[in-house]
Amino acid sequence: QVQLAELGGGSVQAGGSLRLSCVVSGYRYNSYCIGWFRQAPGKEREGVAAIGADDSTFVIYSVRDRFSISRDNAENTVYLEMKNMKPEDTAMYFCALSGRVNNVKNMPGSSFFDSWGQGTQVTVSS
């Protein structure tokens, strides 16, 4: 059974940094795509970044100068590094796994992802 666990959420002040981890377990294949999504209260879920099974990466334009995504295959972990954070980054952050996306040239929609974590809260205060 595939399980995804998001770690690293918390509260920071504007301008601060956080690194979220998505730890994957139980997936039978070595390569997969991971997407990071966020959902703020009263807003729709938004795809933020993805790393393809081929290690290609994509980060949405609005945060591209502040967020980055990377993978540690040995640890089965994908990271979302967030710097110079802003109050508008406040949201529940989720990671999700897709076995169908190899290369990412844009943010895959949530329908491409089959397994989801429980989420981790990120709060940025001004």
Side-chain angles (χ1 to χ4, degrees):
Q1 181 179 358
V2 180
Q3 291 187 320
L4 287 78
E6 300 96 339
L7 305 172
S11 298
V12 295
Q13 290 193 329
S17 301
L18 279 177
R19 186 177 75 164
L20 304 183
S21 301
C22 175
V23 183
V24 179
S25 60
Y27 190 64
R28 63 185 298 180
Y29 301 108
N30 291 329
S31 61
Y32 46 83
C33 171
I34 291 291
W36 280 101
F37 295 79
R38 66 184 181 184
Q39 188 165 21
K43 294 188 176 181
E44 293 188 356
R45 184 169 53 192
E46 174 186 41
V48 176
I51 184 164
D54 65 354
D55 286 338
S56 56
T57 62
F58 181 83
V59 179
I60 61 172
Y61 178 78
S62 61
V63 299
R64 191 170 295 167
D65 59 337
R66 301 185 293 115
F67 289 15
S68 62
I69 187 170
S70 61
R71 187 202 305 269
D72 183 335
N73 289 319
E75 298 294 330
N76 292 323
T77 301
V78 171
Y79 302 102
L80 182 68
E81 191 84 38
M82 305 183 289
K83 299 179 181 180
N84 190 23
M85 298 186 71
K86 302 178 180 181
E88 51 262 43
D89 295 323
T90 295
M92 184 73 79
Y93 284 70
F94 301 86
C95 66
L97 183 149
S98 172
R100 294 174 280 160
V101 177
N102 186 52
N103 178 266
V104 294
K105 292 184 175 62
N106 50 35
M107 185 67 206
S110 57
S111 62
F112 284 92
F113 295 88
D114 307 304
S115 301
W116 292 77
Q118 295 295 314
T120 186
Q121 178 67 38
V122 171
T123 302
V124 185
S125 57
S126 57

